[in-house]
Amino acid sequence: MKLNTKFKSKMKRMPVSEETKLLNLIVNILKNENLLKKAIIEYKIDLKNGSTINPDFFAYLIRESVFNNYLLSEFKQRTVTGTDDINRIKSQYNGYCNIDYNNLDSTIIPIDQTAPIFINYIFFNTQISLIKKIENEINLQENVGVLYYETSGSNKRRLRYSKTPSNPQNQFLNDLLIEKSSIIRFWENYLIPFTAKDLEGISGSGGSPSAVNIDTNVSVSIILSHLCTFILQRKIQNISPEFNSEIFFDFIFSNLIGLTKFDDESKKSIIKKLTLFLNQVDQLCNDEKFTFINKRNKTSREYLITIRNTDNFAKRIEIIRDKLYDLFKQKKIDEFV
Amino acid sequence: MSVKTTFDYESDWVEYFESVLKNEIREDIDNRYKIKANIIETNQSLDSFLKRNETIKRIASKEPFFHNLRIKLDGNEYFFYLNNSDPRFWVIHNIEEQSKIQKIIEKLTTESYLQDKIYLSHETMNGYQNELKATSSGFTLNFDQLFSSVDGPSVFTEEIEEFDDIGFTLQLWPKKKKSINYFIDQFRKIKMPINYRSLNFIFEDETQDVLIKEDLFYDGSLTIHRGKEFRIHLKFINKIRQKYKSVMNEVEERRTDWVNMKGSIFTIEFDKTIDPQKFIEVLNKKSISNSPNPFKINAFFMYSEDAFTMYNCIDTHSGGKFYLQVFPDKLNINLEKNSCGNIIFRLFTNLQRYFSISTKLKVDETEYKI
């Protein structure tokens, strides 16, 4: 039989964000320990002083009569940091320290005023000297834990302490994360296949959402895969070929309901990006003269699935997906502006 | 001889089939017309199913869960009897000529939207033998390597055992259960891929008089050879259905549901090493060797890490969504909340039948039998 000897060289790495990997690690470990009651990614909390914070991971952990607390995790990566950056982190940290139970929404996460909130930082791909500098300059309290890991080198994907928290329960939590981070399956079992963070490749220069950053093309690939499954599902389930960006948004994030609570602003921002993406697909289809999806009219966010109803519908979608991906790759950022 | 009749009550139909079984009606036994049944996994109501399949006409009985179905095919009419007392797992009985109705059964289970077969692993079928204290006189083994006959480079990145690269069907009728076990043990010793295609079940009374002698197939179909107690056959079907349903419930309890903070990773491990991309190409084929692809899924590339490639997938049976992480030596499956648990049964048992007998199913790293 013919063996596939070119396997390794053929594999092109197109990784998902480090934040998604870290979330999978933490969720896997906490679930495995039966500690996780509820978790929210990027939970937007409005504070008393009118400011808003959104920690990367906020969870309510409970184990009968032994364990009862909230875990707030902030993920950070830095190569350099200046005064402005330190001030931003400091302000964010002060916000975390000032969370009042009344600021929490009981429809999103259970409220237990007896459960302390443990704040912890996890740094990745950041030099230890820089982590220490940040710790000192923002003056972290004794009870805050700081962990770090590298994605390459001998420390690869193994959490370590930069700062040990003083509270025994928080230390237990951090010890647990460190110990279990050596088990590869906790890194590799993706209960969360992607997050909104992984779609940030669709972003504009200077914060404008009107450009597609194809350099981080994992975003394009993830959205394209969703567009394909979206079209196929509608075909199989005999759902109308007409759709809009909001419906597409709901489809993409259906797996994250309960784990992500998008506020109106961030939902609007993602829908805007998806609209931009769908418009680009429409444009590419027009340029290349093949049918896939079409925009209903210039101003609307309404689209129509126009793919030919061939005998092998799924195969046709796959071919178009590959074609579109190649076309996206050939585009330069400024062509999308 | 086929039955061109309808029944108002299930008990009347049972009596009629029992009389057929005892050969009270037929003068000569015609082996083409055996009593057969199929257990079908369904994700829709009977009304919705009938709306989608206009060639199938329901002739109502006077009972809510028993239905006469008249099906037209190639100018002929065939009669089936449906029990849908379990809305998820229907049982369709018939006494039509096997070669004629095969197309209908395939259409109902393989090509029909929201209808699927059930998928029984070798171990599950063996388990029934032991649990039910049934004896047996034979079995059929079957293995087809669908992953080595693809275009271009092989799916496999290392040489596979010779036995794993062949296809065979082997029927053995050693007459005694003890001999069956002997053969299976010997086949295992020579690393032959052992998968029951069918296993014979003989239910006897205390005097060893045969009550029912029938074959159970891996896809949930059954064929009676002879007997005199039709209700034993129905009881057996019920046992299979209940067990499958119970495991299905467990599987579906483990789908990802972040509202209730539930979810598990299903892992299918194997002793071969594969190229994820080529592997997915086989899963994505519409047909393999002129037959519909048994996996019934479509996977679209999302991203690749050092260790695995992630695919965004649709179950073409129900349109359900799930994610597949393809490693060189295992698959991780993450089912979305509304997906159908039969994906796990279908993937696992078909990989045993068409890829490698060594596949193992694990849930959150613990081995899981289905």
Side-chain angles (χ1 to χ4, degrees):
Chain A
M1 67 179 296
K2 293 166 288 179
L3 285 177
N4 185 8
T5 51
K6 289 181 181 169
F7 168 59
K8 279 190 178 163
S9 61
K10 261 177 54 187
M11 286 287 285
K12 190 189 163 202
R13 196 163 173 267
M14 189 195 286
V16 77
S17 69
E18 207 56 43
E19 286 86 347
T20 297
K21 289 173 194 173
L22 198 42
L23 279 169
N24 275 298
L25 172 82
I26 296 173
V27 168
N28 277 327
I29 293 172
L30 296 176
K31 265 178 71 49
N32 189 61
E33 297 293 318
N34 283 324
L35 281 168
L36 193 58
K37 180 77 178 167
K38 186 70 193 174
I40 297 284
I41 301 171
E42 300 226 6
Y43 180 25
K44 189 178 171 187
I45 305 169
D46 295 318
L47 300 176
K48 264 187 195 163
N49 63 9
S51 63
T52 300
I53 49 162
N54 52 342
D56 289 316
F57 183 76
F58 191 76
Y60 179 47
L61 312 181
I62 190 160
R63 187 188 279 164
E64 210 175 323
S65 69
V66 182
F67 213 83
N68 183 31
N69 68 271
Y70 292 94
L71 169 65
L72 185 159
S73 285
E74 180 63 29
F75 309 151
K76 294 258 177 262
Q77 181 192 21
R78 292 288 186 276
T79 45
V80 287
T81 187
T83 314
D84 288 351
D85 189 36
I86 290 286
N87 286 338
R88 263 197 304 272
I89 299 174
K90 205 172 193 170
S91 154
Q92 186 189 46
Y93 171 66
N94 288 335
Y96 293 162
C97 293
N98 286 312
I99 296 174
D100 187 281
Y101 295 99
N102 296 324
N103 302 137
L104 303 177
D105 180 347
S106 63
T107 62
I108 295 174
I109 199 155
I111 298 175
D112 181 349
Q113 306 217 2
T114 65
I117 299 170
F118 296 143
I119 301 167
N120 293 294
Y121 283 81
I122 303 182
F123 283 86
F124 53 91
N125 295 338
T126 305
Q127 281 190 350
I128 188 72
S129 55
L130 193 53
I131 298 171
K132 290 286 179 200
K133 183 184 169 197
I134 294 169
E135 278 173 25
N136 292 333
E137 295 202 18
I138 61 174
N139 196 20
L140 295 178
Q141 289 174 8
E142 281 188 354
N143 191 32
V144 175
V146 181
L147 304 177
Y148 72 99
Y149 71 98
E150 299 290 331
T151 58
S152 60
S154 56
N155 291 342
K156 196 177 176 182
R157 300 216 181 285
R158 175 83 157 83
L159 295 176
R160 281 154 208 277
Y161 269 123
S162 170
K163 179 180 175 305
T164 311
S166 57
N167 180 292
Q169 280 207 333
N170 195 17
Q171 193 181 342
F172 164 80
L173 264 181
N174 281 278
D175 286 349
L176 185 73
L177 292 176
I178 287 172
E179 184 200 334
K180 301 292 179 186
S181 71
S182 63
I183 300 172
I184 198 152
R185 74 181 162 94
F186 290 130
W187 286 99
E188 286 187 348
N189 284 358
Y190 278 26
L191 273 167
I192 308 161
F194 69 98
T195 61
K197 189 95 188 159
D198 300 303
L199 307 187
E200 283 184 0
I202 310 290
S203 63
S205 49
S208 156
S210 59
V212 174
N213 182 357
I214 209 72
D215 288 345
T216 50
N217 50 21
V218 67
S219 312
V220 172
S221 182
I222 290 173
I223 299 177
L224 263 179
S225 79
H226 277 108
L227 186 57
C228 294
T229 49
F230 177 74
I231 291 171
L232 193 56
Q233 187 186 67
R234 292 177 88 80
K235 160 85 177 165
I236 291 169
Q237 296 181 343
N238 203 18
I239 304 172
S240 163
E242 292 173 16
F243 70 99
N244 58 33
S245 312
E246 285 84 352
I247 293 173
F248 188 43
F249 171 92
D250 290 342
F251 176 85
I252 291 178
F253 292 103
S254 58
N255 194 43
L256 295 177
I257 294 171
L259 192 61
T260 303
K261 176 78 182 167
F262 291 108
D263 58 81
D264 289 349
E265 199 184 314
S266 46
K267 187 173 174 178
K268 258 185 202 168
S269 161
I270 296 173
I271 287 174
K272 203 169 176 183
K273 289 169 186 179
L274 292 177
T275 304
L276 170 76
F277 180 85
L278 292 169
N279 290 347
Q280 291 302 326
V281 171
D282 167 63
Q283 186 61 49
L284 291 171
C285 292
N286 281 333
D287 292 351
E288 297 294 317
K289 296 186 172 47
F290 59 82
T291 55
F292 191 54
I293 62 159
N294 281 132
K295 201 173 178 198
R296 299 303 300 265
N297 61 55
K298 277 185 184 173
T299 52
S300 79
R301 291 197 305 230
E302 304 279 327
Y303 303 86
L304 181 70
I305 298 165
T306 54
I307 185 167
R308 283 182 200 154
N309 198 6
T310 55
D311 178 44
N312 195 344
F313 188 77
K315 181 72 190 166
R316 179 145 184 85
I317 295 177
E318 201 187 329
I319 291 167
I320 293 174
R321 181 254 168 231
D322 292 348
K323 173 93 179 153
L324 281 171
Y325 186 71
D326 280 344
L327 290 168
F328 267 111
K329 271 203 299 192
Q330 289 162 24
K331 291 252 172 196
K332 289 178 186 166
I333 296 171
D334 56 4
E335 288 183 86
F336 289 95
V337 177
Chain B
M1 183 206 73
S2 65
V3 186
K4 303 289 183 204
T5 189
T6 58
F7 301 90
D8 280 343
Y9 297 96
E10 193 169 20
S11 56
D12 294 349
W13 162 76
V14 170
E15 262 182 43
Y16 185 83
F17 265 43
E18 191 158 286
S19 65
V20 170
L21 188 64
K22 289 174 178 167
N23 201 29
E24 286 171 355
I25 297 167
R26 294 180 289 181
E27 286 179 1
D28 299 311
I29 293 175
D30 185 339
N31 275 330
R32 287 177 303 167
Y33 299 96
K34 287 180 175 168
I35 294 176
K36 297 171 286 296
N38 289 78
I39 304 171
I40 292 175
E41 191 263 343
T42 181
N43 297 84
Q44 63 183 330
S45 68
L46 181 58
D47 285 341
S48 148
F49 167 75
L50 291 168
K51 255 185 217 164
R52 286 194 170 97
N53 295 275
E54 286 172 351
T55 56
I56 303 175
K57 168 112 175 108
R58 171 174 42 178
I59 301 156
S61 75
K62 290 181 176 168
E63 293 185 37
F65 304 121
F66 175 74
H67 313 270
N68 304 278
L69 300 179
R70 190 177 65 209
I71 302 176
K72 286 187 178 172
L73 181 76
D74 301 333
N76 294 315
E77 272 188 351
Y78 301 95
F79 281 79
F80 288 70
Y81 306 95
L82 169 69
N83 176 302
N84 66 339
S85 54
D86 185 317
R88 182 82 184 268
F89 296 98
W90 298 351
V91 185
I92 295 185
H93 305 266
N94 77 86
I95 192 168
E96 300 284 2
E97 188 178 341
Q98 177 64 22
S99 61
K100 297 267 172 66
I101 58 143
Q102 190 54 35
K103 225 192 224 178
I104 297 172
I105 296 293
E106 281 302 305
K107 202 169 177 307
L108 287 179
T109 56
T110 309
E111 297 159 37
S112 172
Y113 168 53
L114 297 179
Q115 312 294 128
D116 203 355
K117 295 172 179 175
I118 64 167
Y119 300 90
L120 304 172
S121 66
H122 178 90
E123 292 74 20
T124 300
M125 289 167 79
N126 232 5
Y128 290 138
Q129 277 274 345
N130 299 329
E131 277 172 47
L132 297 170
K133 292 181 183 143
T135 182
S136 181
S137 58
F139 58 84
T140 311
L141 298 176
N142 176 241
F143 181 79
D144 271 321
Q145 180 51 266
L146 296 185
F147 288 79
S148 66
S149 56
V150 291
D151 303 332
S154 166
V155 167
F156 299 102
T157 53
E158 284 169 10
E159 198 80 53
I160 57 173
E161 296 272 351
E162 213 163 317
F163 256 136
D164 288 337
D165 199 20
I166 58 168
F168 69 88
T169 301
L170 180 71
Q171 191 171 48
L172 271 178
W173 224 245
K175 306 281 186 193
K176 284 182 186 167
K177 196 173 168 182
K178 205 174 155 188
S179 314
I180 293 176
N181 293 337
Y182 173 78
F183 276 112
I184 296 292
D185 285 347
Q186 293 304 311
F187 290 150
R188 283 217 169 99
K189 275 183 192 160
I190 57 169
K191 293 183 178 174
M192 185 171 165
I194 304 293
N195 267 315
Y196 286 135
R197 180 175 177 270
S198 70
L199 182 59
N200 179 250
F201 284 75
I202 303 171
F203 298 98
E204 298 170 329
D205 63 14
E206 55 281 0
T207 62
Q208 293 190 323
D209 199 9
V210 174
L211 301 175
I212 282 289
K213 181 179 177 183
E214 63 183 323
D215 288 344
L216 168 67
F217 290 78
Y218 75 96
D219 61 358
S221 58
L222 299 104
T223 303
I224 302 182
H225 293 291
R226 65 187 173 91
K228 56 183 183 183
E229 290 274 355
F230 187 63
R231 282 184 175 81
I232 299 282
H233 164 71
L234 296 178
K235 211 172 146 187
F236 183 34
I237 289 175
N238 217 26
K239 164 90 184 166
I240 298 166
R241 188 162 65 163
Q242 288 306 322
K243 190 165 181 194
Y244 199 86
K245 186 182 172 175
S246 142
V247 183
M248 174 73 91
N249 288 343
E250 283 175 31
V251 165
E252 294 190 340
E253 270 296 299
R254 290 170 178 272
R255 292 178 294 191
T256 309
D257 170 8
W258 292 118
V259 174
N260 297 302
M261 294 311 280
K262 288 195 294 191
S264 294
I265 293 287
F266 295 87
T267 302
I268 298 177
E269 290 181 352
F270 32 85
D271 64 352
K272 317 270 181 280
T273 52
I274 54 144
D275 172 346
Q277 195 184 331
K278 298 296 289 180
F279 184 84
I280 288 294
E281 275 176 29
V282 178
L283 294 189
N284 274 348
K285 278 174 181 275
K286 192 183 180 193
S287 59
I288 304 176
S289 308
N290 296 323
S291 298
N293 190 327
F295 292 99
K296 298 205 264 189
I297 67 169
N298 277 108
F300 298 94
F301 174 82
M302 285 180 88
Y303 53 84
S304 56
E305 295 288 339
D306 284 338
F308 65 87
T309 308
M310 178 70 92
Y311 290 89
N312 196 339
C313 306
I314 287 285
D315 172 16
T316 58
H317 147 61
S318 66
K321 206 171 153 196
F322 65 103
Y323 298 93
L324 202 58
Q325 283 175 265
V326 187
F327 295 76
D329 57 355
K330 66 177 181 181
L331 307 175
N332 272 1
I333 307 148
N334 178 352
L335 295 181
E336 270 210 5
K337 194 182 167 186
N338 296 321
S339 57
C340 172
N342 222 25
I343 295 166
I344 300 296
F345 293 82
R346 195 187 320 125
L347 249 178
F348 177 68
T349 55
N350 280 331
L351 283 173
Q352 277 197 331
R353 309 192 67 77
Y354 303 117
F355 171 66
S356 170
I357 186 65
S358 74
T359 51
K360 278 193 188 119
L361 179 67
K362 290 184 173 178
V363 182
D364 292 338
E365 300 297 311
T366 306
E367 193 164 349
Y368 195 70
K369 301 276 184 199
I370 59 169

